[in-house]
Amino acid sequence: AVNGLQMELDAAFPNDKIKFSSGYRDEYNQARVVYKNWKKHGGANGGREYLVGLYTDDEIANAISDAYEAGSTEKKSIDLAKQVLDDFKSRGKYMSRHQQGNAVDISARSSIQQKVKDWINAGNSKFAESVLDEEDHLHVRLVVNASAPTESDIDVVPVDSTTAVDTPTSDLELRRQTKYTQNIEKVKEVQRPL
């Protein structure tokens, strides 16, 4: 699915540089990446709210926050969070689609990033279901069990930097984005000096 998405985006946005970064993450790397975001958004003073706002499973987001807060060092916090993720995985629950290889993060100039998000969310991709904007990158939910791309799969019309892209947002995407935005506002309030 990643290769197909990359081919689609190269065809749809031929003059724009789109960077693919994080794809599959094991539990350790998921804990490591999330720790950096938790810390960036306030750690013990706002990080929990950020994670609960971002991830759909509040139980996992809170358990991860507990682990980070319990660790006396970054390494211990990440190791504890990895144990939490291993436990949830053993029960068939995942914090992120990255842990199952069903997500990829991409980034580009902000104007192009918005067009890519709109293009995917408008249903133009055969390899991506939807996109969640995570401020500095896009989290792309990949189509599960997508077949390998062929030339005929990549039948897209290029989008130039001035073309508007229709963006019908799904109810789930709208709920997640609203919850995320509300929680970011809460985090900013917590981080404001008194």
Side-chain angles (χ1 to χ4, degrees), residues 1 6 22 24-25 32 43 48 51 66 95-96 104 122 128 140-141 152 155 157 166 169 174:
Q6 188 165 19
S22 189
Y24 170 76
R25 294 183 199 140
R32 183 185 54 77
R48 178 182 302 272
L51 295 183
D66 290 344
M95 180 175 211
S96 171
V104 64
V140 180
R141 293 181 203 98
S152 63
D155 183 26
V157 176
D166 186 30
T169 306
L174 186 57

Side-chain angles (χ1 to χ4, degrees), residues 19-167:
K19 179 183 171 189
F20 281 64
S21 55
S22 189
Y24 170 76
R25 294 183 199 140
D26 62 17
E27 283 60 44
Y28 173 80
N29 283 305
Q30 180 67 23
R32 183 185 54 77
V33 168
V34 172
Y35 179 83
K36 291 183 185 313
N37 287 324
W38 176 82
K39 195 77 168 162
K40 175 181 165 185
H41 289 90
N45 297 312
R48 178 182 302 272
E49 290 81 8
Y50 169 77
L51 295 183
V52 168
L54 182 62
Y55 292 98
T56 56
D57 190 317
D58 293 355
E59 180 186 12
I60 297 175
N62 279 306
I64 291 295
S65 293
D66 290 344
Y68 293 150
E69 291 172 15
S72 57
T73 66
E74 179 177 334
K75 181 178 180 347
K76 288 180 183 176
S77 294
I78 292 169
D79 288 344
L80 288 169
K82 180 202 177 291
Q83 290 173 8
V84 168
L85 292 175
D86 284 338
D87 178 57
F88 278 104
K89 180 181 176 180
S90 73
R91 295 186 271 151
K93 292 179 78 175
Y94 297 89
M95 180 175 211
S96 171
R97 291 180 71 158
H98 283 288
Q99 293 170 261
Q100 298 170 290
N102 296 325
V104 64
D105 292 338
I106 61 175
S107 58
R109 286 182 300 122
S110 61
S111 61
I112 300 307
Q113 197 162 289
Q114 182 62 45
K115 288 191 178 297
V116 168
K117 176 184 172 188
D118 293 346
W119 186 84
I120 290 171
N121 284 339
N124 293 305
S125 176
K126 295 177 183 168
F127 302 97
E129 291 178 2
S130 61
V131 176
L132 180 63
D133 192 335
E134 293 187 7
E135 297 175 348
D136 62 341
H137 69 276
L138 299 175
H139 172 85
V140 180
R141 293 181 203 98
L142 299 172
V143 172
V144 178
N145 299 323
S147 59
T150 65
E151 291 281 331
S152 63
D153 287 325
I154 312 306
D155 183 26
V156 299
V157 176
V159 177
D160 68 35
S161 58
T162 60
T163 305
V165 178
D166 186 30
T167 175

